[in-house]
């Protein structure tokens, strides 16, 4: 497994397909059950409505897409990993799974009312290009919601969290995952990721307006939101 950096290579990210079958269960264990809470907060922030079009990027097996579909919105789960898409399609054949690269999305301009990506932006090779692509496929006035690991706001907890990532997460992943190396990459990529203000600044540079964020679980995860200019 290539060591994590902010210059992601597609063949490394594709290893997510190796953990697809047990992906959701493993994430629940490693997050101590917090992933379900985070998904609920993402659904509230996206605020999908009947007949709206929602792009769920880095959707994996589409667990994150189900709350949007339940509102009556038309949700498109999109992911780079064919392994993830196959498992997701087997589980949810009614959803329009689409293979796509975040830096070159296979959609027309101004298509979606809302675009969202949870725990996937960190894996994109070119973050700034992906943010501009998300802007391109969003209709004027539409919104983006990004849920991503971030930096805990309380310094003592930040130290404990860092120790968990690098010492506890790999052995736990070995016990519950079919590909523990993928979770070593996960730990390293989280440590290398920009903090909340830095990601907000990148959203603004990409053209998003009214950018704001909200911390979850003490800043372990942050929800960033922005709007495409009218």
């Amino acid at each position: 497994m290539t060591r994590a950096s902010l210059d992601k290579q597609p063949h490394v990210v594709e290893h997510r397909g190796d953990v697809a079958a047990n992906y959701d269960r493993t994430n629940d264990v490693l997050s101590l059950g917090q992933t379900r809470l985070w998904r609920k907060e993402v659904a509230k922030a996206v605020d999908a409505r009947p007949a709206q079009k929602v792009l769920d990027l880095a959707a994996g097996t589409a667990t994150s897409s189900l709350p949007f579909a339940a509102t009556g919105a038309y949700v498109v789960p999109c992911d780079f990993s064919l392994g993830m898409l196959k498992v997701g399609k087997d589980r949810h054949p009614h959803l329009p799974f689409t293979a796509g690269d975040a830096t070159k999305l296979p959609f027309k301009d101004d298509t979606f009312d809302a675009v969202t990506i949870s725990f996937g932006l960190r894996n994109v090779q070119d973050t700034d290009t992906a943010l501009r692509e998300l802007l391109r496929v969003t209709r004027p006035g539409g919104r983006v919601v990004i849920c991503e690991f971030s930096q805990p706001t309380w310094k003592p907890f930040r130290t404990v969290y860092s120790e968990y990532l690098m010492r506890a997460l790999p052995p736990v992943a070995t016990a519950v995952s079919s590909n523990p190396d993928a979770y070593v990459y996960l730990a390293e990529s989280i440590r290398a990721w920009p903090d909340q203000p830095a990601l907000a600044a990148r959203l603004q540079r990409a053209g998003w307006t009214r950018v704001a964020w909200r911390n979850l679980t003490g800043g372990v995860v942050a929800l960033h939101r922005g709007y495409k200019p009218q």
Side-chain angles (χ1 to χ4, degrees):
M1 176 63 64
T2 304
R3 308 296 285 187
S5 71
L6 295 184
D7 182 22
K8 312 300 186 307
Q9 298 300 316
H11 72 278
V12 175
V13 177
E14 177 62 18
H15 277 290
R16 291 174 67 238
D18 298 341
V19 299
N22 298 313
Y23 184 71
D24 297 315
R25 179 179 65 87
T26 302
N27 286 347
D28 275 342
V29 171
L30 294 177
S31 70
L32 307 178
Q34 292 294 294
T35 51
R36 298 180 187 185
L37 169 65
W38 298 335
R39 281 196 293 267
K40 288 180 181 178
E41 294 302 318
V42 170
K44 290 179 185 177
V46 171
D47 192 24
R49 306 289 177 85
Q52 286 189 337
K53 294 180 181 178
V54 178
L55 172 62
D56 187 13
L57 189 57
T61 59
T63 299
S64 59
S65 304
L66 298 179
F68 311 133
T71 69
Y74 178 78
V75 57
V76 178
C78 182
D79 202 283
F80 182 83
S81 168
L82 296 180
M84 287 286 184
L85 293 172
K86 183 180 185 304
V87 172
K89 192 65 176 178
D90 289 343
R91 294 178 182 175
H92 313 292
H94 62 290
L95 293 178
F97 285 85
T98 303
D101 182 340
T103 63
K104 193 175 182 181
L105 292 170
F107 307 107
K108 294 181 180 179
D109 296 358
D110 306 333
T111 297
F112 296 97
D113 298 282
V115 295
T116 183
I117 179 170
S118 293
F119 308 112
L121 189 61
R122 192 184 67 259
N123 295 323
V124 175
Q125 188 174 16
D126 188 335
T127 303
D128 297 321
T129 297
L131 292 176
R132 290 192 296 269
E133 271 291 273
L134 285 171
L135 185 75
R136 180 184 66 78
V137 302
T138 303
R139 67 165 179 79
R143 57 207 180 274
V144 63
V145 174
I146 297 171
C147 182
E148 189 53 87
F149 290 109
S150 198
Q151 299 298 321
T153 55
W154 190 41
K155 189 173 181 179
F157 178 59
R158 191 182 309 152
T159 302
V160 172
Y161 176 62
S162 181
E163 289 296 309
Y164 168 73
L165 283 177
M166 300 312 298
R167 296 190 181 186
L169 191 150
V172 172
T174 299
V176 299
S177 172
S178 59
N179 185 355
D181 282 348
Y183 288 90
V184 174
Y185 164 79
L186 169 68
E188 294 177 341
S189 66
I190 291 172
R191 292 186 70 177
W193 185 245
D195 64 10
Q196 292 90 324
L199 180 55
R202 295 176 87 156
L203 276 159
Q204 291 170 331
R205 287 197 299 270
W208 295 97
T209 61
R210 296 159 56 195
V211 174
W213 74 84
R214 180 162 62 91
N215 291 315
L216 303 177
T217 317
V220 169
V221 164
L223 279 181
H224 283 71
R225 182 161 53 185
Y227 294 85
K228 182 170 181 174
Q230 293 274 14

Coordinates of all heavy atoms in Angstrom, one line a residue, residues 57-140:
L57 N -21.6 11.6 -4.4 CA -20.3 11.2 -4.9 C -19.5 10.4 -3.9 O -19.7 10.6 -2.7 CB -19.5 12.5 -5.3 CG -18.2 12.3 -6.1 CD1 -18.4 11.5 -7.4 CD2 -17.6 13.7 -6.3
A58 N -18.7 9.5 -4.3 CA -18.0 8.5 -3.5 C -19.0 7.8 -2.6 O -18.8 7.5 -1.4 CB -17.0 9.3 -2.6
A59 N -20.1 7.4 -3.3 CA -21.2 6.7 -2.6 C -20.9 5.3 -2.1 O -21.6 4.8 -1.3 CB -22.4 6.7 -3.5
G60 N -19.9 4.7 -2.6 CA -19.5 3.3 -2.2 C -20.7 2.4 -2.5 O -21.1 2.3 -3.7
T61 N -21.2 1.7 -1.5 CA -22.3 0.7 -1.7 C -23.6 1.4 -1.6 O -24.6 0.7 -1.6 CB -22.2 -0.4 -0.6 OG1 -22.2 0.2 0.7 CG2 -20.8 -1.1 -0.8
A62 N -23.7 2.7 -1.5 CA -24.9 3.6 -1.5 C -25.6 3.6 -0.2 O -26.8 4.0 -0.2 CB -25.8 3.1 -2.7
T63 N -25.0 3.1 0.9 CA -25.6 3.3 2.2 C -25.9 4.8 2.4 O -27.0 5.1 3.0 CB -24.7 2.8 3.3 OG1 -24.5 1.4 3.1 CG2 -25.3 2.9 4.7
S64 N -25.0 5.7 2.0 CA -25.2 7.1 2.2 C -26.3 7.7 1.3 O -26.9 8.7 1.6 CB -23.9 7.8 2.0 OG -23.5 7.6 0.6
S65 N -26.7 7.0 0.3 CA -27.7 7.5 -0.7 C -29.1 7.2 -0.3 O -30.0 7.9 -0.7 CB -27.4 6.8 -2.1 OG -26.1 7.0 -2.5
L66 N -29.3 6.2 0.6 CA -30.6 5.7 0.9 C -31.5 6.8 1.6 O -32.7 6.9 1.3 CB -30.6 4.5 1.8 CG -29.9 3.3 1.1 CD1 -29.9 2.1 2.1 CD2 -30.6 2.9 -0.2
P67 N -31.0 7.6 2.5 CA -31.8 8.7 3.1 C -32.3 9.7 2.1 O -33.4 10.2 2.2 CB -30.9 9.3 4.1 CG -29.8 8.3 4.4 CD -29.6 7.6 3.2
F68 N -31.5 10.0 1.1 CA -31.9 10.9 0.0 C -33.1 10.3 -0.8 O -34.1 11.0 -1.1 CB -30.8 11.3 -0.9 CG -29.5 11.7 -0.1 CD1 -28.3 11.2 -0.5 CD2 -29.6 12.6 1.0 CE1 -27.2 11.6 0.2 CE2 -28.5 13.0 1.6 CZ -27.3 12.5 1.3
A69 N -32.9 9.0 -1.2 CA -33.9 8.3 -2.0 C -35.3 8.3 -1.2 O -36.3 8.3 -1.8 CB -33.5 7.0 -2.3
A70 N -35.2 8.1 0.1 CA -36.4 8.0 1.0 C -37.2 9.2 1.0 O -38.4 9.2 1.3 CB -35.9 7.6 2.4
T71 N -36.6 10.4 0.7 CA -37.4 11.6 0.6 C -38.2 11.8 -0.7 O -39.0 12.7 -0.8 CB -36.4 12.8 0.8 OG1 -35.6 13.0 -0.4 CG2 -35.6 12.7 2.0
G72 N -37.9 10.9 -1.6 CA -38.5 11.1 -2.9 C -37.6 11.8 -3.9 O -38.0 12.0 -5.1
A73 N -36.4 12.1 -3.5 CA -35.5 12.7 -4.4 C -34.9 11.7 -5.4 O -34.9 10.5 -5.1 CB -34.3 13.4 -3.7
Y74 N -34.4 12.1 -6.6 CA -33.8 11.2 -7.5 C -32.3 11.3 -7.2 O -31.6 12.3 -7.4 CB -34.0 11.7 -8.9 CG -33.3 10.9 -10.0 CD1 -33.8 9.6 -10.4 CD2 -32.2 11.3 -10.6 CE1 -33.2 8.8 -11.3 CE2 -31.5 10.6 -11.6 CZ -32.1 9.3 -11.9 OH -31.4 8.6 -12.9
V75 N -31.7 10.3 -6.6 CA -30.3 10.3 -6.2 C -29.5 9.4 -7.1 O -29.9 8.3 -7.4 CB -30.2 9.8 -4.7 CG1 -30.8 8.5 -4.5 CG2 -28.8 9.8 -4.2
V76 N -28.3 9.9 -7.5 CA -27.4 9.2 -8.3 C -26.2 8.8 -7.5 O -25.4 9.7 -7.1 CB -27.0 10.0 -9.5 CG1 -25.9 9.2 -10.3 CG2 -28.2 10.4 -10.4
P77 N -26.0 7.5 -7.1 CA -24.8 7.1 -6.4 C -23.6 7.0 -7.4 O -23.8 6.3 -8.4 CB -25.1 5.8 -5.7 CG -26.6 5.6 -6.0 CD -26.9 6.4 -7.2
C78 N -22.6 7.7 -7.2 CA -21.4 7.7 -8.1 C -20.2 7.4 -7.3 O -19.9 7.9 -6.2 CB -21.3 9.1 -8.7 SG -20.0 9.3 -10.0
D79 N -19.3 6.5 -7.9 CA -18.1 6.1 -7.2 C -17.0 5.8 -8.3 O -17.4 5.3 -9.4 CB -18.3 5.0 -6.3 CG -17.3 4.9 -5.2 OD1 -16.2 4.4 -5.5 OD2 -17.6 5.3 -4.0
F80 N -15.8 5.9 -7.9 CA -14.6 5.6 -8.7 C -14.4 4.0 -8.7 O -13.9 3.5 -9.7 CB -13.4 6.3 -8.2 CG -12.2 6.1 -9.0 CD1 -11.9 6.8 -10.2 CD2 -11.2 5.1 -8.6 CE1 -10.8 6.6 -10.9 CE2 -10.0 4.9 -9.3 CZ -9.8 5.7 -10.5
S81 N -14.7 3.4 -7.6 CA -14.4 2.0 -7.4 C -15.5 1.1 -8.0 O -16.7 1.1 -7.5 CB -14.3 1.7 -5.9 OG -14.3 0.3 -5.7
L82 N -15.2 0.3 -9.0 CA -16.1 -0.6 -9.6 C -16.5 -1.7 -8.6 O -17.7 -2.2 -8.7 CB -15.5 -1.2 -10.9 CG -15.2 -0.2 -12.0 CD1 -14.6 -1.0 -13.2 CD2 -16.5 0.5 -12.4
G83 N -15.6 -2.1 -7.7 CA -15.9 -3.1 -6.7 C -17.0 -2.6 -5.8 O -18.0 -3.4 -5.5
M84 N -16.9 -1.4 -5.3 CA -18.0 -0.8 -4.5 C -19.3 -0.8 -5.2 O -20.4 -1.1 -4.7 CB -17.6 0.6 -4.1 CG -16.5 0.6 -3.0 SD -17.2 0.2 -1.4 CE -15.7 0.4 -0.4
L85 N -19.3 -0.3 -6.5 CA -20.5 -0.2 -7.3 C -21.2 -1.5 -7.5 O -22.4 -1.6 -7.4 CB -20.2 0.4 -8.6 CG -19.7 1.9 -8.6 CD1 -19.3 2.3 -10.0 CD2 -20.8 2.8 -8.1
K86 N -20.4 -2.6 -7.7 CA -21.0 -3.9 -7.9 C -21.7 -4.4 -6.7 O -22.9 -4.9 -6.8 CB -19.9 -4.9 -8.3 CG -20.4 -6.3 -8.6 CD -19.3 -7.2 -9.0 CE -19.9 -8.6 -9.4 NZ -20.8 -9.2 -8.4
V87 N -21.1 -4.2 -5.5 CA -21.7 -4.7 -4.3 C -23.0 -3.8 -4.0 O -24.0 -4.4 -3.6 CB -20.7 -4.5 -3.1 CG1 -21.5 -4.8 -1.8 CG2 -19.6 -5.5 -3.2
G88 N -22.9 -2.5 -4.3 CA -24.0 -1.6 -4.1 C -25.2 -2.0 -5.0 O -26.3 -2.0 -4.6
K89 N -24.9 -2.3 -6.3 CA -25.9 -2.6 -7.2 C -26.6 -3.9 -6.9 O -27.8 -4.0 -7.0 CB -25.3 -2.7 -8.6 CG -26.4 -2.7 -9.7 CD -27.2 -1.4 -9.8 CE -28.2 -1.4 -10.9 NZ -29.0 -0.2 -11.0
D90 N -25.9 -4.9 -6.3 CA -26.5 -6.1 -5.9 C -27.4 -5.9 -4.7 O -28.5 -6.5 -4.6 CB -25.4 -7.1 -5.5 CG -24.6 -7.6 -6.6 OD1 -25.0 -7.5 -7.8 OD2 -23.4 -8.2 -6.4
R91 N -27.1 -4.9 -3.9 CA -27.9 -4.7 -2.7 C -29.1 -3.8 -3.0 O -30.2 -3.9 -2.5 CB -27.1 -4.0 -1.6 CG -26.0 -4.9 -1.0 CD -25.2 -4.1 0.0 NE -24.2 -5.0 0.6 CZ -23.2 -4.5 1.4 NH1 -23.2 -3.3 1.8 NH2 -22.3 -5.3 1.9
H92 N -28.9 -2.8 -3.9 CA -29.9 -1.8 -4.2 C -30.1 -1.6 -5.7 O -29.7 -0.6 -6.3 CB -29.5 -0.4 -3.6 CG -29.1 -0.5 -2.2 ND1 -29.9 -0.9 -1.1 CD2 -27.9 -0.4 -1.6 CE1 -29.3 -0.9 0.0 NE2 -28.0 -0.6 -0.3
P93 N -30.7 -2.6 -6.4 CA -30.7 -2.6 -7.9 C -31.6 -1.5 -8.5 O -31.4 -1.2 -9.6 CB -31.3 -4.0 -8.2 CG -32.0 -4.4 -7.0 CD -31.2 -3.9 -5.8
H94 N -32.4 -0.9 -7.6 CA -33.3 0.2 -8.1 C -32.5 1.5 -8.3 O -33.1 2.5 -8.9 CB -34.5 0.4 -7.2 CG -34.1 0.8 -5.8 ND1 -33.4 -0.1 -4.9 CD2 -34.2 2.0 -5.1 CE1 -33.2 0.6 -3.8 NE2 -33.7 1.8 -3.9
L95 N -31.3 1.7 -7.7 CA -30.6 2.9 -7.8 C -29.7 3.0 -9.0 O -29.1 2.0 -9.4 CB -29.7 3.1 -6.5 CG -30.5 3.3 -5.2 CD1 -29.5 3.4 -4.0 CD2 -31.4 4.5 -5.2
P96 N -29.6 4.2 -9.6 CA -28.8 4.4 -10.8 C -27.3 4.6 -10.6 O -26.8 5.7 -10.8 CB -29.5 5.6 -11.5 CG -29.9 6.4 -10.3 CD -30.3 5.5 -9.3
F97 N -26.7 3.5 -10.1 CA -25.2 3.6 -9.9 C -24.5 4.0 -11.1 O -24.8 3.5 -12.2 CB -24.7 2.2 -9.4 CG -25.1 1.9 -8.0 CD1 -26.3 1.3 -7.7 CD2 -24.3 2.1 -6.9 CE1 -26.7 1.0 -6.4 CE2 -24.6 1.8 -5.6 CZ -25.9 1.2 -5.4
T98 N -23.5 4.9 -10.9 CA -22.7 5.5 -12.0 C -21.2 5.5 -11.7 O -20.9 6.0 -10.6 CB -23.2 6.9 -12.4 OG1 -24.6 6.9 -12.6 CG2 -22.4 7.4 -13.6
A99 N -20.4 4.9 -12.5 CA -19.0 5.0 -12.4 C -18.5 6.4 -12.8 O -18.9 6.9 -13.8 CB -18.3 3.9 -13.2
G100 N -17.7 7.0 -11.9 CA -17.2 8.3 -12.3 C -16.0 8.8 -11.5 O -15.8 8.4 -10.3
D101 N -15.2 9.6 -12.1 CA -14.0 10.2 -11.5 C -14.4 11.6 -11.0 O -14.9 12.4 -11.8 CB -12.9 10.3 -12.5 CG -11.6 10.8 -12.0 OD1 -11.6 11.5 -10.9 OD2 -10.5 10.6 -12.6
A102 N -14.1 11.9 -9.8 CA -14.5 13.2 -9.2 C -13.9 14.4 -9.9 O -14.5 15.5 -9.9 CB -14.2 13.3 -7.7
T103 N -12.8 14.2 -10.6 CA -12.1 15.3 -11.3 C -12.6 15.4 -12.7 O -12.2 16.4 -13.4 CB -10.6 15.1 -11.3 OG1 -10.3 13.9 -12.1 CG2 -10.1 14.9 -9.9
K104 N -13.5 14.5 -13.2 CA -14.1 14.6 -14.5 C -15.4 13.9 -14.5 O -15.6 12.8 -15.0 CB -13.1 14.0 -15.6 CG -13.5 14.3 -17.0 CD -12.5 13.8 -18.0 CE -12.8 14.2 -19.4 NZ -11.9 13.7 -20.4
L105 N -16.4 14.5 -13.9 CA -17.7 13.9 -13.7 C -18.5 13.7 -15.0 O -18.5 14.6 -15.9 CB -18.5 14.7 -12.7 CG -18.0 14.7 -11.3 CD1 -18.8 15.8 -10.5 CD2 -18.1 13.4 -10.6
P106 N -19.2 12.6 -15.2 CA -19.9 12.3 -16.4 C -21.3 12.8 -16.5 O -22.3 12.1 -16.8 CB -19.9 10.7 -16.4 CG -20.0 10.4 -15.0 CD -19.2 11.4 -14.2
F107 N -21.4 14.1 -16.1 CA -22.7 14.7 -16.0 C -22.6 16.1 -16.7 O -21.6 16.7 -16.7 CB -23.2 14.9 -14.6 CG -23.2 13.6 -13.8 CD1 -22.2 13.4 -12.8 CD2 -24.1 12.6 -14.1 CE1 -22.2 12.3 -12.1 CE2 -24.1 11.4 -13.3 CZ -23.1 11.3 -12.3
K108 N -23.8 16.6 -17.2 CA -23.9 17.9 -17.9 C -23.8 19.0 -16.8 O -24.1 18.8 -15.6 CB -25.1 18.0 -18.7 CG -25.2 17.0 -19.9 CD -26.5 17.2 -20.6 CE -26.6 16.3 -21.8 NZ -27.8 16.4 -22.6
D109 N -23.5 20.2 -17.3 CA -23.5 21.4 -16.4 C -24.9 21.6 -15.8 O -26.0 21.3 -16.4 CB -23.2 22.6 -17.2 CG -21.8 22.6 -17.8 OD1 -21.0 21.6 -17.5 OD2 -21.4 23.6 -18.5
D110 N -25.0 22.1 -14.6 CA -26.2 22.5 -13.9 C -27.3 21.4 -13.8 O -28.5 21.7 -14.1 CB -26.8 23.7 -14.7 CG -25.8 24.9 -14.9 OD1 -24.9 25.0 -14.1 OD2 -26.0 25.6 -15.9
T111 N -26.8 20.2 -13.5 CA -27.7 19.1 -13.5 C -28.4 18.9 -12.1 O -29.6 18.6 -12.0 CB -27.0 17.8 -13.8 OG1 -26.5 17.9 -15.2 CG2 -27.9 16.6 -13.7
F112 N -27.7 19.1 -11.0 CA -28.2 18.6 -9.7 C -28.6 19.8 -8.8 O -27.9 20.9 -8.8 CB -27.1 17.8 -9.0 CG -26.8 16.5 -9.7 CD1 -25.7 16.4 -10.6 CD2 -27.6 15.4 -9.6 CE1 -25.4 15.3 -11.2 CE2 -27.3 14.2 -10.2 CZ -26.2 14.1 -11.1
D113 N -29.6 19.6 -8.0 CA -30.0 20.5 -7.0 C -29.1 20.5 -5.8 O -28.9 21.5 -5.1 CB -31.4 20.2 -6.5 CG -32.5 20.3 -7.6 OD1 -32.8 21.5 -7.9 OD2 -32.9 19.3 -8.1
A114 N -28.5 19.3 -5.5 CA -27.6 19.2 -4.4 C -26.5 18.1 -4.8 O -26.8 17.1 -5.4 CB -28.3 18.8 -3.1
V115 N -25.3 18.4 -4.3 CA -24.2 17.4 -4.5 C -23.6 17.2 -3.1 O -23.5 18.1 -2.3 CB -23.2 17.9 -5.5 CG1 -23.8 18.0 -6.9 CG2 -22.6 19.3 -5.1
T116 N -23.2 16.0 -2.9 CA -22.6 15.7 -1.6 C -21.6 14.6 -1.7 O -21.7 13.8 -2.6 CB -23.7 15.2 -0.6 OG1 -23.2 15.0 0.7 CG2 -24.5 14.0 -1.1
I117 N -20.6 14.6 -0.8 CA -19.6 13.6 -0.8 C -19.2 13.4 0.7 O -18.9 14.4 1.4 CB -18.4 14.0 -1.6 CG1 -17.3 12.9 -1.6 CG2 -17.8 15.4 -1.3 CD1 -16.2 13.1 -2.6
S118 N -19.2 12.1 1.1 CA -18.9 11.8 2.5 C -17.7 10.9 2.6 O -17.7 9.8 2.0 CB -20.1 11.1 3.2 OG -21.2 12.0 3.3
F119 N -16.7 11.4 3.2 CA -15.4 10.6 3.4 C -14.8 10.1 2.1 O -14.2 9.0 2.1 CB -15.7 9.4 4.3 CG -16.4 9.8 5.6 CD1 -17.7 9.4 5.9 CD2 -15.8 10.6 6.6 CE1 -18.4 9.8 7.0 CE2 -16.4 11.0 7.7 CZ -17.7 10.6 7.9
G120 N -14.9 10.9 1.1 CA -14.3 10.6 -0.2 C -13.5 11.7 -0.8 O -12.5 11.4 -1.6
L121 N -13.7 12.9 -0.4 CA -12.9 14.0 -1.0 C -11.4 13.8 -0.6 O -10.6 14.2 -1.4 CB -13.4 15.3 -0.5 CG -12.9 16.6 -1.2 CD1 -13.2 16.6 -2.7 CD2 -13.4 17.8 -0.5
R122 N -11.2 13.3 0.5 CA -9.8 13.1 1.0 C -9.0 12.1 0.1 O -7.8 12.2 0.0 CB -9.9 12.5 2.4 CG -8.6 12.5 3.2 CD -8.8 11.8 4.6 NE -9.2 10.3 4.4 CZ -10.4 9.8 4.4 NH1 -11.4 10.6 4.7 NH2 -10.5 8.5 4.2
N123 N -9.8 11.3 -0.6 CA -9.1 10.3 -1.5 C -8.9 10.8 -3.0 O -8.4 10.0 -3.8 CB -9.9 9.0 -1.5 CG -9.9 8.3 -0.1 OD1 -9.0 8.4 0.6 ND2 -11.1 7.8 0.2
V124 N -9.5 11.9 -3.3 CA -9.4 12.4 -4.7 C -8.0 12.9 -5.0 O -7.4 13.6 -4.1 CB -10.4 13.5 -4.9 CG1 -10.3 14.1 -6.3 CG2 -11.8 12.9 -4.7
Q125 N -7.5 12.6 -6.2 CA -6.2 13.0 -6.5 C -6.0 14.5 -6.6 O -4.9 15.0 -6.2 CB -5.8 12.4 -7.9 CG -4.3 12.6 -8.3 CD -4.0 11.8 -9.5 OE1 -4.9 11.4 -10.3 NE2 -2.7 11.6 -9.8
D126 N -7.0 15.2 -7.1 CA -6.9 16.7 -7.2 C -8.1 17.3 -6.5 O -9.2 17.4 -7.2 CB -6.8 17.1 -8.6 CG -6.5 18.6 -8.8 OD1 -6.8 19.4 -7.9 OD2 -5.9 19.0 -9.9
T127 N -8.0 17.7 -5.3 CA -9.2 18.2 -4.5 C -9.8 19.4 -5.2 O -11.0 19.5 -5.3 CB -8.8 18.5 -3.1 OG1 -8.2 17.3 -2.5 CG2 -9.9 19.0 -2.3
D128 N -9.0 20.3 -5.6 CA -9.5 21.6 -6.1 C -10.3 21.4 -7.4 O -11.3 22.0 -7.6 CB -8.4 22.6 -6.3 CG -7.7 23.0 -5.0 OD1 -8.4 23.1 -4.0 OD2 -6.5 23.1 -4.9
T129 N -9.7 20.5 -8.3 CA -10.5 20.2 -9.5 C -11.8 19.5 -9.2 O -12.8 19.8 -9.8 CB -9.6 19.2 -10.4 OG1 -8.4 19.9 -10.8 CG2 -10.4 18.8 -11.6
A130 N -11.8 18.7 -8.2 CA -13.1 18.0 -7.8 C -14.1 19.0 -7.3 O -15.3 18.9 -7.6 CB -12.8 16.9 -6.7
L131 N -13.7 20.0 -6.5 CA -14.6 21.0 -6.0 C -15.2 21.8 -7.1 O -16.3 22.2 -7.1 CB -13.9 21.9 -5.0 CG -13.5 21.2 -3.7 CD1 -12.7 22.2 -2.8 CD2 -14.7 20.7 -2.9
R132 N -14.3 22.1 -8.2 CA -14.8 22.9 -9.3 C -15.8 22.0 -10.2 O -16.8 22.5 -10.7 CB -13.7 23.3 -10.2 CG -12.8 24.5 -9.5 CD -11.9 25.1 -10.5 NE -10.9 24.2 -11.0 CZ -9.7 24.0 -10.4 NH1 -9.4 24.7 -9.3 NH2 -8.8 23.1 -11.0
E133 N -15.5 20.7 -10.3 CA -16.4 19.8 -11.0 C -17.8 19.7 -10.3 O -18.8 19.7 -10.9 CB -15.8 18.4 -11.1 CG -14.9 18.2 -12.3 CD -15.8 18.2 -13.6 OE1 -16.3 17.2 -14.0 OE2 -15.9 19.3 -14.2
L134 N -17.8 19.6 -9.0 CA -19.0 19.6 -8.2 C -19.8 20.9 -8.5 O -21.0 20.9 -8.6 CB -18.7 19.4 -6.7 CG -18.3 18.0 -6.3 CD1 -17.9 18.0 -4.9 CD2 -19.5 17.0 -6.5
L135 N -19.1 22.0 -8.5 CA -19.8 23.3 -8.8 C -20.4 23.3 -10.2 O -21.5 23.7 -10.4 CB -18.7 24.4 -8.7 CG -19.3 25.8 -8.9 CD1 -20.1 26.3 -7.6 CD2 -18.2 26.9 -9.1
R136 N -19.6 22.7 -11.2 CA -20.1 22.7 -12.6 C -21.4 22.0 -12.7 O -22.3 22.4 -13.4 CB -19.0 22.1 -13.5 CG -19.4 22.0 -14.9 CD -18.4 21.3 -15.8 NE -18.3 19.8 -15.4 CZ -19.1 18.9 -15.8 NH1 -20.2 19.2 -16.6 NH2 -18.9 17.6 -15.5
V137 N -21.5 20.8 -12.1 CA -22.7 20.0 -12.3 C -23.9 20.4 -11.4 O -25.0 19.8 -11.5 CB -22.4 18.5 -12.1 CG1 -21.3 18.0 -13.0 CG2 -22.0 18.2 -10.6
T138 N -23.7 21.4 -10.5 CA -24.8 21.9 -9.7 C -25.5 23.0 -10.3 O -24.9 23.9 -10.9 CB -24.2 22.3 -8.3 OG1 -23.5 21.3 -7.7 CG2 -25.3 22.8 -7.4
R139 N -26.8 23.1 -10.2 CA -27.6 24.2 -10.8 C -27.3 25.4 -10.0 O -27.0 25.4 -8.8 CB -29.1 23.8 -10.8 CG -29.7 23.8 -9.4 CD -31.2 23.8 -9.4 NE -31.7 23.8 -8.1 CZ -31.8 24.8 -7.2 NH1 -31.3 26.0 -7.5 NH2 -32.3 24.6 -6.0
P140 N -27.5 26.6 -10.6 CA -27.3 27.9 -9.9 C -28.3 27.9 -8.7 O -29.5 27.6 -8.8 CB -27.7 28.9 -10.9 CG -27.3 28.3 -12.2 CD -27.7 26.8 -12.1

